[in-house]
Amino acid sequence: MTRRKEEDEAKPYTSGGRRRVSRRDFLKAGGTGLAGAALLGAAGCGGGQGGSSGGGGGSASRPIQVTTQQDIPHTDPALAYDTLSWPVVHATFVTLITYNQSAQGFVPWAATEVPKPENGGHKYVFNIRKGMKFTNGEPVNAQAFKYAIERILNPKTKSPVADFYTNIVGGAAYRKNPKGDVKGIKVLSPYKIEFDLEKPDQTFLQTIAIPPASAVPQKAVEKAGPDFDTHPVGSGPFMVKQFSHGSKLILVKNKDYKNPTSAPETTEAKAGEIDITIGLSPTTEIQRVESGQADYALDFPSAQYNQVKNNPKYKSYIKSAVSNTLFYLFYNVQQKPFTDPKVRLAFQYAIDKKRIAQVLAGMVVPTNQILPPHMPGYDPSIKGYPYDPEKARSLLKEAGYGNGFHIDFWDQNTSDEPKVDQVIQNNLSQIGVKMTLHSISFSEWISKIESGKAQAGVGAWSQDFPDPSDFLDVLFNSNQIPTNNQSHYSNKTVDKELAQALIETNHKKRLAMYQKIQRQILADNPIVPLYNQKAVYFVNPKLKGTDIHPVFYQIYQQWYLT
Amino acid sequence: MGLAIFLIMILVAILAPVLARYNPDIQFRNGLTATGSPLPPSGRFWLGTDPLGRDLYSRLVYGARTSMEVAILANIISTIIGVVIGAVAGFFGGIVDTLLMRFTDVMMSFPVLLFAAFLSVALKPGLKVVIFVIGFVSWFYLARIVRGEILSVKNRDYVDAARSIGVSRFRILIRHLLPQVYGQIIVYVTLGFSTTVLYEAILSFLGIGVQPPTPSWGNLISDGDQYLTSAPWIAVFPGIAVAITVLGLNLLGDGLRDALDPRK
């Protein structure tokens, strides 16, 4: 999903296959960069969490202060598809099921239990709890969920996640022509909903757990029109009291929300109010947390990290976890010189990933594979290639490029990206490859990628949900060329295997299939995997409950001040 | 004094390869601490290193070259435009003058830097673009000065005399009128120089001037902007360099203006 660190509109869709925007975020440095360090949380940062249940209500004495450089794009579930919007939606709306603390499994939320797939994976039935209401009084029932998904599929909504739901019977047709309703979403009774799928899909429950699939109140939505995105009406632990784009977003506890289970994942809001101040430079954000004016800085670029990491006073302020993201060097494998496997192999030896990690102050972890460490299917046995410029040079010579060649390289010009690009440029110049660096804005970069004309560059992807298909299918399926598959990698065998793995119902077998696919892709060297980003945040140690969640990163309803 | 500073800067720019200790693009393995922080000034790296482990002193010296190059070329462009427009307006008078001067007024009323920034982005940032853009936004004042001078001399007796014996208007302009203005041109070119140095620094600082990895004082400051408290040398030294150069050029320009003041 897109790390929402750019003022960007929801991306349009391509037909066929799920199309998601690559996550291009990184540190934004003050005037020039993007902060981005905050990243994606990786699973498991969880460690014994539970503590946040009960006890709650700590003294919600003063509002918790959060800062962010970038604006929060959306509070409407149907439009939210980035790392700034999702935590807000997750705090203010309710989904049928949600992720557990490690994001490796689900817990029921509006549903009474997590359903098992029926009918060979073609059918899911959810029983919904009675008594949950939206803040305007409308009930959270089967119809509210049906309406929510249909609204996403409706082309007028321009939802960036519509393609997640086209596998529902009638969904694809509704996407083109929103007449009548989606036959595959059946309201069996006011509190019982059934989803029928065209093909069994192991990621279906993921798509029901993510914030966009939250129930929304039809009357309020129709009345508010586009205003719903700044004045949302939800049923979750918090309500949006005020949202001024570019300035402030204020969450206040929803007194009518009661935890329907005893699980910490579905807790009431532990704090009375959370104020998010928008538009500060990362330097200011860090200063505010240092001085106590703010409690949680959403941006923490390497420059600021450098400033505080050696100061023992701030050791307890730094929260970090490896996140499920991948940054990689791509090149168009359908054009010379990258059609030659020796050239692609040379690039594997040419890049000094450890140096990149050093330059980024250790905020990233070098990697040699596509799947991030906390992703099911991650393969610790993959060794990858060591940094060996000599070997790279000799490979190029063997391939007939003893005199090197020139490439055009495209990347986003946000804070830490130019640094990474310059290390790469330096590495490549050591093997005789001259790289012209085009450092452009995020939206320009997206356009360039979408045009299919980017010869090489750095790509990034952050998980939508913890499933290997979310990386392997999205980044390497030929139907994702060129937007998410920037290398133009096209391998019919891999495409077929990806389709088979998607519907395989045996969990173990499925993971093994993805591991095989990953090995096959890596053997073709369509990219140079660079690193996984650490999610690092600068947080007042008095603020508790802030463990980084792999899908949501921040779970606002679990926070409280001591 | 100003002249001295100016000459020193030019010398530094020209002699950069000699004065620099290392290639400015080398990212030294030991140019960063183990945890990736830039190094402070030391025997190895006289002015410390930048966030990529490159020698700041070498980059500063090469940066002088880039900044001077941009400033000089941009200045040439703006001088040509300014002199041509001013001379034509002053000499021909009438509607030509009105049109050109109104045009100049309009251009002057734009917030110059914003306009330059906008142009740079629209034309895709880079060395050639930044030279052209700065040149394009720096001619207004010179045009007015030139026009004023031309106006004040064109009605002199010797001009009438030349016309009456059939000298073409063009020759009068070039051979008789413009030379009166050279003095003024030199003064304002020098002063304009300081502005172009500053503009280059600002545009490169914003990321829309000279592109990495080519060093220029502006983008060195930009590199260091995020490190002001943890590694201040990265931004401070180029900042001082810009300040001294601009100061020197201003002193030089003022000095020239005084020296060439016709009232003396």
Side-chain angles (χ1 to χ4, degrees), chain A residues 288-299:
Chain A
R288 285 200 185 180
V289 174
E290 284 175 349
S291 69
Q293 264 182 284
D295 302 303
Y296 196 111
L298 283 171
D299 303 298

Side-chain angles (χ1 to χ4, degrees), chain B residues 78-253:
Chain B
S78 72
T79 303
I80 293 174
I81 300 177
V83 168
V84 165
I85 290 185
V88 168
F91 187 72
F92 289 101
I95 187 134
V96 171
D97 178 19
T98 310
L99 280 177
L100 284 175
M101 282 301 110
R102 290 296 80 78
F103 172 61
T104 308
D105 284 342
V106 166
M107 295 304 290
M108 276 176 92
S109 68
F110 271 78
V112 169
L113 214 40
L114 278 182
F115 186 52
F118 167 71
L119 271 186
S120 276
V121 174
L123 297 172
K124 305 254 178 299
L127 187 60
K128 295 191 182 62
V129 167
V130 83
I131 291 172
F132 166 71
V133 165
I134 294 177
F136 191 65
V137 300
S138 308
W139 56 263
F140 319 131
Y141 205 55
L142 187 61
R144 296 183 73 138
I145 298 289
V146 169
R147 170 189 175 267
E149 291 292 317
I150 297 282
L151 274 179
S152 80
V153 299
K154 82 172 177 183
N155 294 318
R156 300 253 173 89
D157 295 339
Y158 67 88
V159 175
D160 287 336
R163 287 242 55 198
S164 66
I165 62 169
V167 180
S168 84
R169 287 160 62 145
F170 192 61
R171 287 198 75 185
I172 290 178
L173 180 60
I174 303 291
R175 299 204 57 209
H176 298 284
L177 297 180
L178 271 184
Q180 302 292 323
V181 192
Y182 285 162
Q184 291 296 309
I185 293 180
I186 290 176
V187 170
Y188 284 97
V189 163
T190 314
L191 288 173
F193 213 147
S194 74
T195 314
T196 47
V197 167
L198 203 51
Y199 282 177
E200 183 278 321
I202 295 173
L203 289 178
S204 296
F205 172 77
L206 292 176
I208 51 181
V210 176
Q211 297 291 293
T214 313
S216 87
W217 289 342
N219 62 28
L220 288 183
I221 297 176
S222 161
D223 283 345
D225 153 62
Q226 294 291 298
Y227 291 85
L228 280 176
T229 43
S230 56
W233 53 90
I234 302 172
V236 164
F237 289 119
I240 292 177
V242 172
I244 292 179
T245 305
V246 169
L247 176 64
L249 286 166
N250 276 324
L251 285 176
L252 182 58

Side-chain angles (χ1 to χ4, degrees), chain A residues 117-162:
Chain A
E118 300 174 40
N119 208 351
H122 287 272
K123 176 163 121 176
Y124 291 81
V125 178
F126 296 82
N127 290 302
I128 301 171
R129 295 171 208 283
K130 301 187 177 42
M132 296 179 91
K133 285 200 191 335
F134 291 100
T135 52
N136 69 344
E138 287 183 60
V140 177
N141 57 12
Q143 182 55 37
F145 282 102
K146 179 173 162 84
Y147 175 67
I149 306 289
E150 284 178 350
R151 182 168 175 253
I152 289 173
L153 285 165
N154 189 329
K156 289 199 197 66
T157 309
K158 296 200 187 28
S159 170
V161 296

Side-chain angles (χ1 to χ4, degrees), chain A residues 306 309 352 355 419 422, chain B residues 28-29 35 37 54 227:
Chain A
N306 257 313
K309 70 187 179 190
D352 191 352
R355 175 70 177 188
K419 267 191 186 178
Q422 288 183 65
Chain B
F28 288 92
R29 297 225 68 83
T35 50
S37 305
R54 298 179 289 204
Y227 291 85

